[in-house]
Amino acid sequence: MIKINCTVDNCSHNNCGTCYANRINVEGNGAQNAETTCCASFLDKRHYSTLTNNTNSQGPCDCLVCGVTNCAYNDNKLCTAETINVSGVNVNIYGETNCETFKQK
């Protein structure tokens, strides 16, 4: 099953809408909505090329570390959501990405 769906086209870990990072870090301490979260693992393809060869497991990324303490899916800094959706348009830095799956506790 795909754990991380990503619409950030210029992320080095994105392969056809699926994240292939070894793990991702979602941040947004004190977030009130998805717009105040971000994928801190974003790397711009213009600077880092394509990094879609996940070395920790076979296939897409399935390791989600979450620093969004007030998200309902955060269990001791691990995400318990079945899948998440990361978004961002014309992203230059990781703070311009969002975890669309965020659900406030």
Side-chain angles (χ1 to χ4, degrees), residues 18-81:
T18 302
C19 181
Y20 280 82
N22 287 330
R23 77 174 202 185
I24 73 161
N25 297 301
V26 175
E27 296 296 329
N29 200 18
Q32 300 297 311
N33 52 46
E35 290 76 29
T36 52
T37 64
C38 66
C39 176
S41 301
F42 166 79
L43 293 175
D44 195 320
K45 281 183 185 176
R46 294 175 292 190
H47 305 293
Y48 294 95
S49 187
T50 301
L51 303 170
T52 57
N53 57 340
N54 185 342
T55 58
N56 289 341
S57 65
Q58 299 286 47
C61 181
D62 58 4
C63 182
L64 255 152
V65 177
C66 184
V68 186
T69 55
N70 60 328
C71 181
Y73 298 112
N74 184 328
D75 183 15
N76 198 29
K77 297 193 176 189
L78 293 176
C79 180
T80 61

Side-chain angles (χ1 to χ4, degrees), residues 80-97:
T80 61
E82 287 286 318
T83 62
I84 70 161
N85 298 307
V86 175
S87 66
V89 178
N90 298 321
V91 173
N92 293 300
I93 60 173
Y94 72 91
E96 298 172 339
T97 63

Side-chain angles (χ1 to χ4, degrees), residues 6-9 11-20 45 50 52:
C6 181
T7 60
V8 184
D9 293 334
C11 182
S12 293
H13 303 296
N14 185 336
N15 184 1
C16 298
T18 302
C19 181
Y20 280 82
K45 281 183 185 176
T50 301
T52 57

